[in-house]
Amino acid sequence: MDRELAMELVRVTEAAALSCARWMGRGDKELADQLAVDAMRAGFDTVNIEGVVVIGEGELDEAPMLYIGEQVGAGGIAADVAVDPVEGTNLVAKGLNGAIAVVAVAPRGHLLHAPDMYMEKIAVGPAARGCIDITASLTANLKWVARAKGKDVSDLTVVILDRDRHREMIRECREAGARIKLISDGDVAPAVAAAIEETGVDILLGIGGAPEGVLAAAALKCLGGDMQARLKPSNEQEYARCQAMGLSDPQQVLLLDDMVKGEDVFFAATGITDGELLRGVRYFGQNRAKTHSIALRGQTGTVRFIEATHQLDRKPSWYRSARTGK
């Protein structure tokens, strides 16, 4: 795929972030999400791909746009598209850290079409690549990652979603001596942060959404990190969806290459609220706003952090609608 695609995707995530960030802390996560969806969908009309959404806002009967199977793009190479216009809608509604707008694109058939169910995940950066095993104990994984990074376990920072289902995991991390950062929502950004040394994050652990797992895997493939996962179907319908994906054993370990085939993958994200990985949208006088984004390309391993200033009164109507929500 054309290397210029990286910047085209950044413009798409910038549009989503700018359109919903004015609603930070205003308690309406549905409106914030809808504004981001509208802007992201319009942004894709300028992207030179013949894309099909494989991870999006839901099935056709659940979402009016960016639904699974929708065709997006202005034409070009056939591509899989994974999107989350607001990864962390609760974070935006409450004005909390860590919300991002995120997109991943790869050639057709290269992204796992993960069903909307839970997924167990472990994600690390390049230094610990090949040193994780989701079937082994948490304590063993912490020791292996610490050794690979030249640290003591007590120096590691582990990010885990603050959920009751993670009580035993949190207990074991604490007993092993690792530092823990509990988050309320949004595990894509921490997974990416684990592969960028300056963030201070060493590992993402826990059970979160499967679609978000594929988005994280796309970024980790670009960054040279590593990830293992297992789907966690909770009923017969979800079990059947796993089998329809070709997984005879839904509990089989999914490696990074199972979730993202090949190196020809792009990932882009823009901060909506502040986080370790990206700063959130900031507004200034004269109708200006500043965004902070990351653009990744798998084939070259290029990592770009992009700070942009936007003149909002010169943007299309789907930018300006964020002021009123209409």
Side-chain angles (χ1 to χ4, degrees), residues 207-252:
I207 298 171
E212 291 82 359
V214 176
L215 282 162
L220 290 164
K221 176 62 76 78
C222 295
L223 290 164
D226 201 1
M227 180 174 175
Q228 292 185 9
R230 287 187 291 200
L231 292 169
K232 306 287 285 186
S234 60
N235 53 47
E236 291 183 2
Q237 290 77 14
E238 291 185 353
Y239 192 93
R241 291 191 72 179
C242 291
Q243 291 184 314
M245 294 167 56
L247 301 176
S248 57
D249 177 11
Q251 284 287 290
Q252 74 181 66

Side-chain angles (χ1 to χ4, degrees), residues 65-111:
M65 62 179 66
L66 293 181
Y67 55 84
I68 296 170
E70 183 178 10
Q71 295 186 3
V72 296
I77 189 169
D80 282 346
V81 176
V83 304
D84 198 341
V86 182
E87 214 268 320
T89 53
N90 284 322
L91 301 177
V92 177
K94 296 177 181 179
L96 300 176
N97 286 357
I100 60 174
V102 58
V103 169
V105 172
R108 190 72 52 81
H110 282 216
L111 295 181

Side-chain angles (χ1 to χ4, degrees), residues 119-161:
M119 173 186 275
E120 181 183 2
K121 313 166 192 177
I122 177 169
V124 294
R129 185 174 183 176
C131 299
I132 55 174
D133 182 352
I134 202 168
T135 66
S137 72
L138 178 54
T139 300
N141 276 285
L142 292 174
K143 289 180 179 178
W144 296 332
V145 172
R147 185 183 304 123
K149 301 192 77 170
K151 296 183 175 184
D152 294 328
V153 171
S154 59
D155 296 329
L156 295 177
T157 298
V158 183
V159 177
I160 305 174
L161 280 166

Side-chain angles (χ1 to χ4, degrees), residues 5-24:
L5 182 58
M7 289 306 302
E8 293 184 41
L9 296 178
V10 167
R11 294 185 186 98
V12 171
T13 57
E14 286 174 343
L18 285 165
S19 290
C20 74
R22 286 190 186 277
W23 292 81
M24 182 189 79

